[in-house]
Coordinates of all heavy atoms in Angstrom, one line a residue:
M1 N -47.1 104.1 -114.4 CA -46.0 103.7 -113.7 C -44.8 103.3 -114.6 O -45.0 102.6 -115.5 CB -46.4 102.5 -112.8 CG -45.3 102.1 -111.8 SD -46.0 100.9 -110.7 CE -44.7 100.9 -109.5
D2 N -43.6 103.8 -114.3 CA -42.5 103.5 -115.1 C -41.8 102.2 -114.7 O -41.5 102.0 -113.5 CB -41.5 104.7 -114.9 CG -40.3 104.7 -115.9 OD1 -40.3 103.8 -116.7 OD2 -39.4 105.5 -115.8
H3 N -41.6 101.3 -115.6 CA -41.1 100.0 -115.3 C -39.6 99.8 -115.8 O -39.2 98.7 -116.0 CB -41.9 98.9 -115.8 CG -43.3 98.8 -115.2 ND1 -43.5 98.3 -113.9 CD2 -44.5 99.2 -115.6 CE1 -44.7 98.4 -113.6 NE2 -45.4 99.0 -114.6
K4 N -38.9 100.9 -116.1 CA -37.6 100.8 -116.5 C -36.6 100.3 -115.4 O -36.8 100.7 -114.3 CB -37.1 102.2 -117.1 CG -37.8 102.6 -118.3 CD -37.3 103.9 -118.8 CE -38.0 104.3 -120.1 NZ -37.7 105.5 -120.6
A5 N -35.6 99.6 -115.8 CA -34.6 99.1 -114.8 C -33.9 100.3 -114.2 O -33.6 101.2 -114.9 CB -33.7 98.1 -115.5
R6 N -33.6 100.2 -113.0 CA -32.9 101.3 -112.3 C -31.4 100.8 -112.1 O -31.2 99.7 -111.7 CB -33.5 101.6 -110.9 CG -34.9 102.1 -110.9 CD -35.0 103.5 -111.3 NE -34.2 104.4 -110.5 CZ -34.6 105.4 -109.8 NH1 -35.9 105.6 -109.6 NH2 -33.7 106.1 -109.1
H7 N -30.5 101.7 -112.3 CA -29.1 101.3 -112.2 C -28.4 102.4 -111.3 O -27.2 102.8 -111.6 CB -28.4 101.2 -113.5 CG -28.9 100.0 -114.3 ND1 -29.9 100.0 -115.2 CD2 -28.5 98.7 -114.2 CE1 -30.1 98.8 -115.7 NE2 -29.3 98.0 -115.1
D8 N -29.1 102.9 -110.4 CA -28.5 104.0 -109.5 C -27.2 103.5 -108.9 O -27.1 102.4 -108.3 CB -29.5 104.4 -108.4 CG -30.8 104.9 -108.9 OD1 -31.0 105.0 -110.1 OD2 -31.6 105.3 -108.0
N9 N -26.2 104.3 -109.0 CA -24.8 104.0 -108.4 C -24.1 102.8 -109.0 O -23.2 102.3 -108.3 CB -24.9 104.0 -106.9 CG -25.5 105.3 -106.4 OD1 -25.1 106.4 -106.8 ND2 -26.5 105.2 -105.5
Y10 N -24.6 102.2 -110.1 CA -23.8 101.2 -110.7 C -22.6 101.7 -111.4 O -22.5 102.9 -111.6 CB -24.7 100.5 -111.8 CG -25.7 99.5 -111.3 CD1 -26.5 99.7 -110.2 CD2 -25.8 98.3 -112.0 CE1 -27.4 98.7 -109.8 CE2 -26.7 97.3 -111.6 CZ -27.5 97.5 -110.5 OH -28.4 96.6 -110.1
K11 N -21.6 100.9 -111.7 CA -20.5 101.3 -112.4 C -20.2 100.3 -113.6 O -20.3 99.1 -113.4 CB -19.2 101.3 -111.5 CG -19.2 102.4 -110.5 CD -17.9 102.5 -109.8 CE -18.0 103.7 -108.8 NZ -16.8 103.8 -108.0
L12 N -19.9 100.9 -114.7 CA -19.4 100.2 -115.9 C -17.9 100.3 -115.9 O -17.4 101.4 -116.0 CB -20.0 100.7 -117.2 CG -19.7 99.9 -118.4 CD1 -20.4 98.6 -118.4 CD2 -20.2 100.7 -119.7
I13 N -17.2 99.1 -115.8 CA -15.8 99.1 -115.6 C -15.2 98.3 -116.7 O -15.8 97.4 -117.3 CB -15.3 98.6 -114.2 CG1 -15.8 97.2 -114.0 CG2 -15.8 99.5 -113.1 CD1 -14.7 96.2 -114.4
R14 N -13.9 98.5 -116.9 CA -13.1 97.7 -117.8 C -11.9 97.2 -117.0 O -11.2 98.0 -116.4 CB -12.6 98.4 -119.1 CG -11.8 97.5 -120.0 CD -11.7 98.0 -121.4 NE -13.1 98.0 -122.0 CZ -13.5 98.9 -122.8 NH1 -12.7 100.0 -123.1 NH2 -14.7 98.9 -123.3
V15 N -11.7 95.9 -117.0 CA -10.5 95.3 -116.3 C -9.7 94.4 -117.2 O -10.3 93.8 -118.1 CB -11.1 94.5 -115.1 CG1 -11.9 93.3 -115.5 CG2 -9.9 94.0 -114.2
G16 N -8.4 94.5 -117.1 CA -7.5 93.8 -117.9 C -7.1 92.5 -117.2 O -6.7 92.5 -116.0
L17 N -7.2 91.4 -117.9 CA -6.8 90.1 -117.4 C -5.4 89.8 -117.8 O -5.1 89.5 -118.9 CB -7.8 89.0 -117.9 CG -9.3 89.3 -117.8 CD1 -10.1 88.2 -118.4 CD2 -9.6 89.5 -116.3
K18 N -4.5 89.8 -116.7 CA -3.1 89.6 -117.0 C -2.5 88.2 -116.9 O -1.5 87.9 -117.4 CB -2.3 90.5 -116.0 CG -2.6 91.9 -116.0 CD -1.6 92.6 -115.1 CE -2.3 93.7 -114.2 NZ -1.4 94.3 -113.2
R19 N -3.3 87.4 -116.1 CA -2.8 86.0 -115.9 C -3.9 85.0 -116.0 O -5.1 85.4 -116.0 CB -2.2 85.9 -114.5 CG -1.0 86.9 -114.2 CD -0.4 86.7 -112.8 NE -1.4 86.4 -111.7 CZ -1.5 87.2 -110.7 NH1 -0.7 88.3 -110.5 NH2 -2.4 87.0 -109.7
D20 N -3.5 83.7 -116.1 CA -4.5 82.7 -116.2 C -5.5 82.7 -115.0 O -6.7 82.4 -115.1 CB -3.8 81.3 -116.4 CG -4.8 80.2 -116.7 OD1 -5.6 80.4 -117.6 OD2 -4.8 79.2 -116.0
D21 N -4.9 82.9 -113.8 CA -5.8 82.9 -112.6 C -6.8 84.1 -112.6 O -7.9 84.0 -112.1 CB -5.0 82.9 -111.3 CG -4.1 84.1 -111.1 OD1 -3.4 84.5 -112.1 OD2 -4.0 84.6 -110.0
H22 N -6.5 85.2 -113.3 CA -7.4 86.3 -113.5 C -8.6 85.8 -114.4 O -9.8 86.1 -114.1 CB -6.8 87.5 -114.1 CG -5.7 88.1 -113.3 ND1 -4.8 88.9 -113.8 CD2 -5.5 88.1 -111.9 CE1 -4.0 89.3 -112.8 NE2 -4.4 88.8 -111.7
V23 N -8.3 85.1 -115.4 CA -9.3 84.6 -116.3 C -10.2 83.7 -115.5 O -11.5 83.8 -115.6 CB -8.7 83.9 -117.5 CG1 -9.8 83.2 -118.4 CG2 -7.8 84.8 -118.4
K24 N -9.7 82.7 -114.8 CA -10.5 81.8 -114.0 C -11.3 82.5 -113.0 O -12.5 82.1 -112.8 CB -9.6 80.7 -113.4 CG -9.0 79.8 -114.4 CD -8.0 78.8 -113.7 CE -7.4 77.9 -114.8 NZ -6.3 77.1 -114.3
L25 N -10.7 83.5 -112.3 CA -11.5 84.3 -111.3 C -12.7 84.9 -111.9 O -13.8 84.8 -111.3 CB -10.5 85.4 -110.7 CG -11.2 86.4 -109.8 CD1 -11.7 85.7 -108.5 CD2 -10.2 87.5 -109.5
F26 N -12.6 85.5 -113.0 CA -13.8 86.2 -113.6 C -14.7 85.2 -114.2 O -15.9 85.5 -114.3 CB -13.3 87.3 -114.6 CG -12.9 88.6 -113.8 CD1 -11.6 88.8 -113.5 CD2 -13.9 89.5 -113.3 CE1 -11.2 89.9 -112.7 CE2 -13.5 90.6 -112.6 CZ -12.2 90.8 -112.3
Q27 N -14.3 84.1 -114.6 CA -15.2 83.0 -115.1 C -16.1 82.6 -113.9 O -17.3 82.4 -114.1 CB -14.4 81.9 -115.7 CG -13.8 82.2 -117.0 CD -12.9 81.1 -117.6 OE1 -12.4 80.2 -116.8 NE2 -12.7 81.1 -118.9
E28 N -15.4 82.4 -112.8 CA -16.2 82.0 -111.6 C -17.2 83.1 -111.1 O -18.3 82.8 -110.8 CB -15.2 81.7 -110.4 CG -14.4 80.5 -110.6 CD -13.3 80.3 -109.6 OE1 -13.3 81.0 -108.6 OE2 -12.5 79.4 -109.8
I29 N -16.7 84.4 -111.1 CA -17.6 85.5 -110.7 C -18.8 85.5 -111.7 O -20.0 85.6 -111.2 CB -16.9 86.8 -110.7 CG1 -15.8 86.8 -109.6 CG2 -17.9 88.0 -110.6 CD1 -14.9 88.0 -109.7
E30 N -18.6 85.4 -113.0 CA -19.7 85.4 -113.9 C -20.7 84.3 -113.7 O -21.9 84.5 -113.7 CB -19.2 85.4 -115.3 CG -20.3 85.5 -116.4 CD -19.8 85.5 -117.8 OE1 -18.6 85.1 -118.0 OE2 -20.6 85.8 -118.7
A31 N -20.2 83.1 -113.4 CA -21.0 81.9 -113.2 C -21.8 82.0 -111.9 O -22.9 81.5 -111.8 CB -20.2 80.7 -113.2
E32 N -21.3 82.7 -110.9 CA -21.9 82.6 -109.5 C -22.7 83.8 -109.1 O -23.5 83.7 -108.2 CB -20.8 82.4 -108.5 CG -20.1 81.1 -108.6 CD -18.9 80.9 -107.7 OE1 -18.6 81.8 -106.9 OE2 -18.1 79.9 -107.8
S33 N -22.5 85.0 -109.8 CA -23.1 86.2 -109.3 C -24.1 86.8 -110.3 O -23.7 87.0 -111.5 CB -22.1 87.2 -108.9 OG -22.7 88.4 -108.4
D34 N -25.2 87.2 -109.9 CA -26.1 87.9 -110.8 C -26.0 89.4 -110.6 O -26.8 90.2 -111.1 CB -27.6 87.4 -110.6 CG -28.1 87.7 -109.2 OD1 -27.4 88.1 -108.3 OD2 -29.3 87.4 -109.0
S35 N -25.1 89.9 -109.8 CA -24.9 91.3 -109.5 C -23.8 91.9 -110.4 O -23.5 93.1 -110.3 CB -24.5 91.5 -108.0 OG -25.5 91.0 -107.2
Y36 N -23.3 91.1 -111.3 CA -22.3 91.6 -112.3 C -22.9 91.2 -113.6 O -23.3 90.1 -113.9 CB -21.0 90.9 -112.1 CG -20.3 91.1 -110.8 CD1 -20.5 90.4 -109.7 CD2 -19.3 92.1 -110.7 CE1 -19.8 90.6 -108.5 CE2 -18.6 92.4 -109.5 CZ -18.9 91.6 -108.4 OH -18.2 91.8 -107.3
T37 N -22.9 92.2 -114.6 CA -23.4 91.9 -115.9 C -22.1 92.0 -116.8 O -21.5 93.1 -116.9 CB -24.4 92.9 -116.4 OG1 -25.5 92.9 -115.5 CG2 -24.9 92.6 -117.8
F38 N -21.8 90.9 -117.4 CA -20.6 90.8 -118.2 C -20.9 91.1 -119.7 O -21.9 90.5 -120.2 CB -19.9 89.4 -118.1 CG -19.2 89.2 -116.8 CD1 -19.9 89.0 -115.6 CD2 -17.8 89.2 -116.8 CE1 -19.2 88.8 -114.5 CE2 -17.1 89.0 -115.6 CZ -17.8 88.8 -114.5
Y39 N -20.1 91.9 -120.3 CA -20.3 92.2 -121.8 C -19.1 91.5 -122.4 O -18.1 92.0 -122.6 CB -20.3 93.7 -122.0 CG -21.5 94.3 -121.4 CD1 -21.4 94.9 -120.1 CD2 -22.7 94.3 -122.0 CE1 -22.5 95.4 -119.5 CE2 -23.9 94.8 -121.4 CZ -23.7 95.4 -120.1 OH -24.8 95.9 -119.5
G40 N -19.3 90.2 -122.7 CA -18.3 89.3 -123.2 C -18.0 88.4 -122.0 O -18.5 88.5 -120.9
H41 N -17.2 87.4 -122.3 CA -16.8 86.4 -121.3 C -15.3 86.4 -121.1 O -14.5 86.6 -122.1 CB -17.3 85.0 -121.7 CG -18.7 84.9 -122.0 ND1 -19.7 84.9 -121.0 CD2 -19.4 84.9 -123.2 CE1 -20.9 84.8 -121.6 NE2 -20.7 84.8 -122.9
A42 N -14.9 86.1 -119.9 CA -13.4 85.9 -119.6 C -12.9 84.7 -120.3 O -13.4 83.6 -120.0 CB -13.2 85.9 -118.1
R43 N -12.0 84.9 -121.3 CA -11.5 83.7 -122.1 C -10.0 83.6 -122.2 O -9.5 82.5 -122.3 CB -12.1 83.8 -123.5 CG -13.6 83.8 -123.6 CD -14.0 83.9 -125.0 NE -15.4 84.1 -125.1 CZ -16.4 83.1 -125.3 NH1 -16.0 81.9 -125.4 NH2 -17.6 83.4 -125.4
K44 N -9.3 84.7 -122.1 CA -7.9 84.6 -122.4 C -7.1 85.7 -121.7 O -7.6 86.8 -121.4 CB -7.6 84.6 -123.9 CG -8.0 85.9 -124.5 CD -7.8 85.9 -126.0 CE -8.2 87.2 -126.6 NZ -8.0 87.2 -128.0
I45 N -5.8 85.4 -121.4 CA -4.9 86.4 -120.9 C -4.7 87.5 -121.9 O -4.7 87.3 -123.1 CB -3.5 85.7 -120.7 CG1 -3.6 84.6 -119.6 CG2 -2.5 86.8 -120.2 CD1 -2.4 83.7 -119.5
G46 N -4.7 88.8 -121.4 CA -4.6 90.0 -122.2 C -5.9 90.6 -122.6 O -5.9 91.7 -123.2
Q47 N -7.0 89.9 -122.3 CA -8.3 90.4 -122.6 C -8.7 91.6 -121.7 O -8.3 91.6 -120.6 CB -9.3 89.3 -122.5 CG -10.7 89.6 -122.7 CD -11.6 88.4 -122.5 OE1 -11.2 87.3 -122.2 NE2 -12.9 88.6 -122.7
E48 N -9.4 92.5 -122.3 CA -10.0 93.6 -121.5 C -11.5 93.3 -121.4 O -12.2 93.1 -122.4 CB -9.8 94.9 -122.1 CG -8.3 95.4 -122.0 CD -8.1 96.8 -122.4 OE1 -9.0 97.4 -123.1 OE2 -7.1 97.3 -122.1
L49 N -12.0 93.1 -120.2 CA -13.3 92.7 -119.9 C -14.2 93.9 -119.4 O -13.7 94.6 -118.6 CB -13.3 91.6 -118.8 CG -14.5 90.7 -118.6 CD1 -14.9 90.0 -119.9 CD2 -14.2 89.7 -117.5
T50 N -15.4 94.0 -120.0 CA -16.3 95.1 -119.6 C -17.4 94.5 -118.7 O -18.0 93.5 -119.1 CB -16.8 95.8 -120.8 OG1 -15.7 96.3 -121.6 CG2 -17.7 97.0 -120.4
I51 N -17.6 95.1 -117.5 CA -18.6 94.6 -116.6 C -19.4 95.7 -116.0 O -18.8 96.7 -115.6 CB -17.8 93.8 -115.4 CG1 -16.8 92.8 -116.0 CG2 -18.9 93.2 -114.5 CD1 -15.9 92.3 -114.9
L52 N -20.7 95.5 -115.9 CA -21.6 96.4 -115.2 C -21.7 95.8 -113.8 O -22.1 94.7 -113.6 CB -22.9 96.5 -115.8 CG -24.0 97.4 -115.2 CD1 -23.5 98.9 -115.3 CD2 -25.3 97.3 -115.8
I53 N -21.4 96.7 -112.8 CA -21.4 96.2 -111.4 C -22.5 96.9 -110.6 O -22.6 98.1 -110.6 CB -20.0 96.5 -110.7 CG1 -18.9 95.8 -111.5 CG2 -20.0 95.9 -109.3 CD1 -17.5 96.2 -111.1
A54 N -23.3 96.0 -109.9 CA -24.4 96.6 -109.1 C -23.8 97.4 -107.9 O -22.7 97.1 -107.4 CB -25.2 95.4 -108.5
A55 N -24.5 98.4 -107.5 CA -24.0 99.3 -106.4 C -23.6 98.5 -105.2 O -22.5 98.9 -104.6 CB -25.1 100.3 -106.1
H56 N -24.3 97.5 -104.8 CA -24.0 96.8 -103.5 C -22.8 95.9 -103.7 O -22.3 95.3 -102.7 CB -25.2 96.1 -103.0 CG -25.6 94.9 -103.8 ND1 -26.3 95.0 -105.0 CD2 -25.3 93.6 -103.7 CE1 -26.5 93.8 -105.5 NE2 -25.9 92.9 -104.7
K57 N -22.2 95.8 -104.9 CA -21.0 94.9 -105.1 C -19.8 95.7 -105.4 O -18.7 95.1 -105.6 CB -21.3 94.0 -106.2 CG -22.3 92.9 -105.9 CD -21.8 91.9 -104.9 CE -22.7 90.8 -104.7 NZ -22.1 89.7 -103.9
I58 N -19.8 97.1 -105.4 CA -18.7 97.9 -105.8 C -17.5 97.6 -104.8 O -16.4 97.4 -105.3 CB -19.0 99.4 -105.8 CG1 -20.1 99.7 -106.8 CG2 -17.8 100.2 -106.0 CD1 -19.8 99.5 -108.2
F59 N -17.7 97.7 -103.5 CA -16.6 97.5 -102.6 C -16.1 96.0 -102.7 O -14.9 95.9 -102.6 CB -17.1 97.8 -101.1 CG -17.3 99.2 -100.9 CD1 -18.6 99.7 -100.6 CD2 -16.3 100.1 -101.0 CE1 -18.9 101.0 -100.4 CE2 -16.6 101.5 -100.8 CZ -17.8 101.9 -100.5
E60 N -16.9 95.1 -102.9 CA -16.4 93.7 -103.1 C -15.5 93.6 -104.3 O -14.5 93.0 -104.3 CB -17.6 92.7 -103.3 CG -17.2 91.3 -103.6 CD -18.4 90.4 -103.9 OE1 -18.8 90.4 -105.1 OE2 -18.9 89.8 -102.9
F61 N -16.0 94.2 -105.4 CA -15.2 94.2 -106.7 C -13.8 94.9 -106.4 O -12.8 94.4 -106.8 CB -15.9 94.9 -107.8 CG -15.1 95.1 -109.0 CD1 -14.9 94.0 -109.9 CD2 -14.4 96.2 -109.3 CE1 -14.1 94.1 -111.0 CE2 -13.6 96.3 -110.5 CZ -13.5 95.3 -111.3
E62 N -13.8 96.1 -105.8 CA -12.6 96.8 -105.5 C -11.6 95.9 -104.7 O -10.4 95.9 -104.9 CB -12.9 98.1 -104.8 CG -13.5 99.1 -105.8 CD -14.0 100.4 -105.2 OE1 -14.1 100.4 -103.9 OE2 -14.3 101.3 -105.9
D63 N -12.2 95.2 -103.7 CA -11.4 94.3 -102.9 C -10.8 93.1 -103.7 O -9.6 92.8 -103.6 CB -12.2 93.7 -101.7 CG -11.4 92.8 -100.8 OD1 -10.4 93.2 -100.3 OD2 -11.8 91.6 -100.7
I64 N -11.6 92.6 -104.6 CA -11.1 91.5 -105.5 C -10.0 91.9 -106.4 O -9.0 91.2 -106.5 CB -12.3 90.9 -106.3 CG1 -13.3 90.2 -105.5 CG2 -11.8 90.1 -107.5 CD1 -14.6 89.9 -106.2
V65 N -10.1 93.1 -107.0 CA -9.1 93.5 -107.9 C -7.8 93.9 -107.1 O -6.7 93.6 -107.6 CB -9.5 94.7 -108.9 CG1 -10.6 94.2 -109.8 CG2 -9.9 95.9 -108.1
E66 N -7.9 94.5 -106.0 CA -6.8 94.8 -105.2 C -6.0 93.6 -104.7 O -4.8 93.5 -104.8 CB -7.2 95.6 -103.9 CG -6.0 96.1 -103.1 CD -6.4 97.0 -101.9 OE1 -7.4 97.8 -102.1 OE2 -5.8 96.8 -100.9
R67 N -6.8 92.6 -104.2 CA -6.1 91.3 -103.7 C -5.4 90.6 -104.9 O -4.5 89.8 -104.6 CB -7.2 90.4 -103.0 CG -7.5 90.9 -101.6 CD -8.4 89.9 -100.9 NE -9.7 89.9 -101.5 CZ -10.3 88.8 -102.0 NH1 -9.7 87.7 -102.1 NH2 -11.5 88.9 -102.5
N68 N -5.9 90.7 -106.1 CA -5.4 90.0 -107.2 C -4.5 90.8 -108.1 O -4.1 90.3 -109.2 CB -6.6 89.4 -108.0 CG -7.2 88.3 -107.2 OD1 -6.7 87.1 -107.2 ND2 -8.3 88.6 -106.6
G69 N -4.1 92.0 -107.7 CA -3.2 92.8 -108.5 C -3.7 93.2 -109.9 O -2.9 93.3 -110.8
L70 N -4.9 93.5 -110.0 CA -5.6 93.8 -111.2 C -5.7 95.4 -111.3 O -5.9 96.0 -110.3 CB -6.9 93.2 -111.4 CG -6.9 91.7 -111.7 CD1 -8.2 91.1 -111.2 CD2 -6.7 91.5 -113.1
N71 N -5.7 95.9 -112.5 CA -6.0 97.3 -112.8 C -7.4 97.3 -113.5 O -7.7 96.5 -114.3 CB -5.0 97.9 -113.6 CG -3.6 97.9 -113.0 OD1 -3.5 98.3 -111.8 ND2 -2.6 97.6 -113.7
Y72 N -8.1 98.4 -113.2 CA -9.4 98.6 -113.9 C -9.6 100.1 -114.1 O -9.0 100.9 -113.4 CB -10.5 98.0 -113.2 CG -10.9 98.7 -111.9 CD1 -12.0 99.6 -111.9 CD2 -10.3 98.4 -110.7 CE1 -12.4 100.2 -110.7 CE2 -10.6 99.1 -109.5 CZ -11.7 100.0 -109.5 OH -12.1 100.6 -108.4
I73 N -10.5 100.4 -115.0 CA -10.9 101.8 -115.1 C -12.4 101.9 -115.1 O -13.1 100.9 -115.5 CB -10.4 102.5 -116.5 CG1 -10.9 101.7 -117.7 CG2 -8.9 102.6 -116.5 CD1 -10.6 102.4 -119.0
V74 N -13.0 103.0 -114.6 CA -14.4 103.2 -114.6 C -14.8 103.9 -115.9 O -14.3 105.0 -116.2 CB -14.8 104.0 -113.4 CG1 -16.3 104.3 -113.4 CG2 -14.5 103.3 -112.1
L75 N -15.6 103.2 -116.7 CA -16.0 103.8 -117.9 C -17.2 104.8 -117.7 O -17.2 105.9 -118.3 CB -16.4 102.7 -118.9 CG -15.4 101.7 -119.3 CD1 -15.9 100.6 -120.1 CD2 -14.2 102.4 -120.0
V76 N -18.1 104.4 -116.9 CA -19.3 105.2 -116.5 C -19.7 104.9 -115.1 O -19.8 103.7 -114.7 CB -20.5 104.9 -117.5 CG1 -21.7 105.7 -117.1 CG2 -20.1 105.1 -118.9
S77 N -20.0 105.9 -114.4 CA -20.6 105.8 -113.0 C -22.1 106.3 -113.2 O -22.3 107.4 -113.5 CB -20.0 106.7 -112.0 OG -18.7 106.1 -111.6
F78 N -23.0 105.3 -113.1 CA -24.4 105.6 -113.3 C -25.0 106.3 -112.0 O -24.8 105.8 -110.9 CB -25.2 104.4 -113.6 CG -24.8 103.8 -114.9 CD1 -23.9 102.8 -115.0 CD2 -25.5 104.3 -116.1 CE1 -23.6 102.3 -116.3 CE2 -25.1 103.7 -117.3 CZ -24.2 102.7 -117.4
T79 N -25.7 107.3 -112.2 CA -26.4 108.0 -111.1 C -27.8 108.1 -111.6 O -28.1 108.0 -112.8 CB -25.9 109.4 -110.8 OG1 -26.1 110.2 -111.9 CG2 -24.4 109.3 -110.4
C80 N -28.7 108.3 -110.7 CA -30.1 108.5 -111.0 C -30.3 109.6 -112.1 O -31.0 109.5 -113.0 CB -30.9 108.8 -109.8 SG -32.7 108.8 -110.1
K81 N -29.6 110.7 -111.9 CA -29.7 111.9 -112.8 C -29.3 111.5 -114.2 O -29.9 111.8 -115.2 CB -28.9 113.0 -112.3 CG -29.0 114.3 -113.1 CD -28.1 115.4 -112.5 CE -28.2 116.6 -113.4 NZ -27.4 117.7 -112.9
Y82 N -28.2 110.8 -114.3 CA -27.6 110.3 -115.6 C -28.6 109.5 -116.3 O -28.9 109.6 -117.5 CB -26.3 109.6 -115.4 CG -25.7 109.0 -116.7 CD1 -25.0 109.8 -117.5 CD2 -26.0 107.7 -117.0 CE1 -24.5 109.2 -118.7 CE2 -25.5 107.1 -118.1 CZ -24.7 107.9 -119.0 OH -24.2 107.4 -120.2
I83 N -29.2 108.5 -115.6 CA -30.2 107.6 -116.2 C -31.4 108.3 -116.6 O -32.0 108.0 -117.7 CB -30.5 106.5 -115.2 CG1 -29.2 105.6 -115.0 CG2 -31.6 105.6 -115.7 CD1 -29.3 104.7 -113.8
L84 N -31.9 109.3 -115.9 CA -33.1 110.0 -116.3 C -32.9 110.8 -117.5 O -33.7 110.9 -118.4 CB -33.6 110.9 -115.1 CG -34.2 110.2 -113.9 CD1 -34.4 111.2 -112.8 CD2 -35.4 109.5 -114.3
I85 N -31.7 111.4 -117.6 CA -31.4 112.2 -118.8 C -31.3 111.2 -120.0 O -31.9 111.5 -121.1 CB -30.0 112.9 -118.7 CG1 -30.2 114.1 -117.7 CG2 -29.5 113.5 -120.0 CD1 -28.9 114.7 -117.2
K86 N -30.6 110.1 -119.9 CA -30.5 109.2 -121.0 C -31.9 108.6 -121.4 O -32.2 108.5 -122.6 CB -29.6 108.0 -120.6 CG -28.2 108.4 -120.4 CD -27.4 108.8 -121.6 CE -26.9 107.6 -122.3 NZ -26.1 107.9 -123.5
S87 N -32.7 108.4 -120.4 CA -34.1 107.9 -120.7 C -34.9 108.9 -121.5 O -35.6 108.5 -122.4 CB -34.7 107.6 -119.3 OG -36.1 107.6 -119.4
K88 N -34.8 110.2 -121.1 CA -35.6 111.2 -121.8 C -35.0 111.4 -123.2 O -35.8 111.8 -124.1 CB -35.5 112.5 -121.0 CG -36.3 112.5 -119.8 CD -36.2 113.8 -119.0 CE -37.0 113.6 -117.7 NZ -36.9 114.8 -116.9
L89 N -33.8 111.1 -123.5 CA -33.2 111.3 -124.8 C -33.4 110.0 -125.6 O -33.0 109.9 -126.8 CB -31.7 111.6 -124.7 CG -31.4 113.0 -124.1 CD1 -29.9 113.2 -123.9 CD2 -32.0 114.1 -124.9
H90 N -33.9 108.9 -125.0 CA -34.2 107.6 -125.6 C -32.9 106.9 -126.2 O -32.9 106.4 -127.3 CB -35.2 107.8 -126.8 CG -36.4 108.4 -126.4 ND1 -37.3 107.8 -125.6 CD2 -36.9 109.7 -126.6 CE1 -38.4 108.6 -125.3 NE2 -38.1 109.7 -125.9
F91 N -31.9 106.9 -125.4 CA -30.6 106.2 -125.7 C -30.8 104.8 -125.3 O -31.4 104.4 -124.4 CB -29.4 106.8 -125.0 CG -28.9 108.0 -125.7 CD1 -29.3 109.3 -125.3 CD2 -28.0 107.9 -126.8 CE1 -28.8 110.4 -125.9 CE2 -27.5 109.0 -127.4 CZ -27.9 110.3 -127.0

């Protein structure tokens, strides 16, 4: 039986923190939610934060960034096929 973590339909995104309230917002999200995996911590204005977002939180995240005037880019959209290929290549 394969016990590898599944990340079907997850997204790896990068979001730019433009204001102090953006920094505080992502500090709160990181502290409160286990559905976001942060690569680094929200610390300062001007920072670009990389986050892995669970599939069931994608719409919530899109709503958060829209309501707060943030821009983000999707670095990788994980699909089952992508993960299986990466797994077979041992990345």
Side-chain angles (χ1 to χ4, degrees):
M1 185 172 193
D2 190 4
H3 294 285
K4 292 182 182 177
R6 299 282 309 241
H7 292 94
D8 300 1
N9 303 313
Y10 277 47
K11 288 187 180 181
L12 184 67
I13 61 92
R14 180 160 297 140
V15 61
L17 307 179
K18 299 187 224 176
R19 303 185 315 242
D20 190 50
D21 60 318
H22 295 159
V23 175
K24 290 177 184 173
L25 172 66
F26 281 95
Q27 288 172 339
E28 290 173 10
I29 292 170
E30 183 179 14
E32 295 173 6
S33 179
D34 62 355
S35 298
Y36 297 87
T37 302
F38 284 73
Y39 297 95
H41 304 285
R43 297 181 193 265
K44 61 184 179 179
I45 297 168
Q47 179 181 0
E48 290 189 344
L49 195 56
T50 303
I51 309 167
L52 181 65
I53 304 171
H56 68 280
K57 291 291 188 171
I58 299 294
F59 291 115
E60 176 185 89
F61 175 79
E62 290 172 347
D63 182 57
I64 289 168
V65 296
E66 183 178 321
R67 282 187 289 119
N68 288 281
L70 288 155
N71 295 318
Y72 73 97
I73 60 169
V74 176
L75 301 173
V76 179
S77 287
F78 292 94
T79 64
C80 186
K81 182 178 179 181
Y82 175 82
I83 292 165
L84 290 173
I85 290 169
K86 296 290 276 184
S87 158
K88 287 179 182 177
L89 295 175
H90 305 290
F91 280 94

